[in-house]
Amino acid sequence: MINICKNFYLNIVQVQMINNLRLTMRSLSSFFILCIVLSINGMTCDAYLELYDFGPGTIGAPMLFRVDSHNGPTGPSYEFRFKFDQLPQYDKTIVLNQYIVDYVVTFESVKAGNYTVQIDAWTCNHGVPFDSLGTLNSTFQLTDSLTGTIAVNDNPRKRVVSTAETFKLTARTKYYFNFFNSANISYKWIINDEPQIESEGVIRHSFSQPQLNNISVIVTATKTNGSRLIQKSGTFNLTLESKDPITNLTIDGPTEVKVFERVQLDCKIHGGTPPFQYEYTFWMDKPYSEYINVIKDSNESFSSLIRYFSAKGTRTAKIVARNDISSIEKRMEISVY
C-alpha cells in the first residue's frame, strides 16, 4: 500500500513538471515571437528625434532644419511631417529612405519673432506610415537682420587672447549654401567704441593691455535673387578678454636634502595675468619607481610647495606655471641622501 501511494505521488509530480515545462516553452516561444515582431517593426532601436535648425533665420533667406531620428537604416523608408503652428503655409511632409532629413525653408512676408515647429517621424512599409519614431516640438527665431559670428584666428569659440600677439578677426555670415556669398557686402568694424579704418571682412588687430574688449562689425549685404533685390544688415558682436602671457618662472629651493628633511620650493611667476595654475611633478626611477603630482590654483604670482621624502634617491622635479594663454616649465634634480 505504501509503494502504491508513493508511485501515485511520483506520477503527480512528473505530470506537474511536464506541465510547467510546457508553460515555460510556450512563454519562451511567445517572447521570441514578440522580439521578431518588434524587430520587423523597427521598435528594437532606441530612436529619438534631434533637431538642428541652424538659426536664427533671416526672413527672405534660406533656413535649414535638419532632423535626425537616430534610428539607423532599419526601415525601407521614413516619413517626416513638419508642422508650423503660426506659419501653416510652410507645412510639409517628406518621405525618403534616410533616417536624417533636411528641410530648407525660405520664410517670406512674415514678422520677426519666435515661432514653433512640430515634427513627427515614422518608418514606412510600402510608402505607408507604420511605426512612430516620436514627436519633437521646438522654437526657432526669425529676424529681419543678417546673422553671423566673429571668429578669432578662424576659431569662432575663442574668447581669450594674448597681449603679445596680433589676431585675425573674421566676420562670418551663416546661411545655408552660403546664400549671401554672391552679394555685395560692406563691413564697418568697431573695437572698444573706436571705428576702424579697415572695411574688409577680415582685419588684424592687437590688444596692448589686459582688459575686456568689445568688438562689433556692422555687415550689409545686397544681392539680386531672381527679380527681387534683397538687402539685409546686421551687427555681429564679440567680447574678447586680453591677458598678458607669462614671461618667466624662477624657482628657489634646495637640490640636496636628507631623508624626511623639509623641502620647500618657492616659485615666482614673472609677467602674466592671473588666475594661475602651478603643477609640481616629482618622479624617480631608481632604486624604485616613485611619482608625485600636485596641482594648485592661485591668483598670486608667488607660490610655495613643501614636501618630505621618505627614501633616498634622486628625484626629478618639474614645475609648470600656466595661465589662460601661456605656460612655462622648469626642471631641477633633488638628491635625497
Side-chain angles (χ1 to χ4, degrees), residues 120-252:
D120 295 288
W122 297 75
T123 56
C124 302
N125 281 336
H126 305 292
V128 178
F130 185 72
D131 176 33
S132 173
L133 297 177
T135 298
L136 184 150
N137 292 280
S138 182
T139 300
F140 63 95
Q141 182 183 4
L142 291 179
T143 177
D144 204 29
S145 303
L146 288 177
T147 62
T149 60
I150 299 174
V152 182
N153 285 353
D154 297 321
N155 182 355
R157 295 183 175 88
K158 195 173 186 66
R159 295 294 180 268
V160 183
V161 296
S162 170
T163 57
E165 300 179 36
T166 298
F167 290 88
K168 180 177 71 172
L169 304 174
T170 306
R172 294 178 175 176
T173 58
K174 50 178 184 180
Y175 291 96
Y176 185 69
F177 283 146
N178 299 316
F179 181 71
F180 284 103
N181 277 14
S182 60
N184 293 322
I185 303 179
S186 63
Y187 304 88
K188 182 181 179 181
W189 290 87
I190 303 171
I191 299 179
N192 294 331
D193 297 326
E194 295 184 4
Q196 306 299 300
I197 297 176
E198 296 91 338
S199 60
E200 301 296 325
V202 179
I203 67 171
R204 296 186 178 276
H205 196 83
S206 59
F207 304 96
S208 60
Q209 59 185 354
Q211 63 182 18
L212 288 177
N213 303 280
N214 296 313
I215 303 168
S216 62
V217 55
I218 302 171
V219 183
T220 302
T222 305
K223 71 171 292 182
T224 301
N225 188 22
S227 59
R228 294 189 307 117
L229 180 66
I230 299 176
Q231 185 175 60
K232 302 287 183 180
S233 295
T235 302
F236 311 160
N237 297 294
L238 175 66
T239 299
L240 273 182
E241 185 174 7
S242 53
K243 292 188 173 185
D244 289 332
I246 298 172
T247 57
N248 196 13
L249 172 67
T250 55
I251 304 169
D252 183 19

Side-chain angles (χ1 to χ4, degrees), residues 53-65 84 86-87 89-90 105-116 139-147 175 232:
D53 64 21
F54 294 88
T58 296
I59 299 168
M63 182 176 180
L64 170 64
F65 294 85
F84 298 89
Q86 304 96 323
L87 305 168
Q89 64 270 34
Y90 296 102
V105 192
T106 301
F107 295 98
E108 302 278 4
S109 303
V110 301
K111 295 181 178 180
N114 293 324
Y115 295 87
T116 57
T139 300
F140 63 95
Q141 182 183 4
L142 291 179
T143 177
D144 204 29
S145 303
L146 288 177
T147 62
Y175 291 96
K232 302 287 183 180

Side-chain angles (χ1 to χ4, degrees), residues 10-26:
L10 290 174
N11 288 335
I12 292 176
V13 173
Q14 289 175 350
V15 169
Q16 289 178 340
M17 291 178 63
I18 292 172
N19 288 336
N20 290 337
L21 180 60
R22 287 175 177 171
L23 289 174
T24 302
M25 293 301 293
R26 287 176 184 173

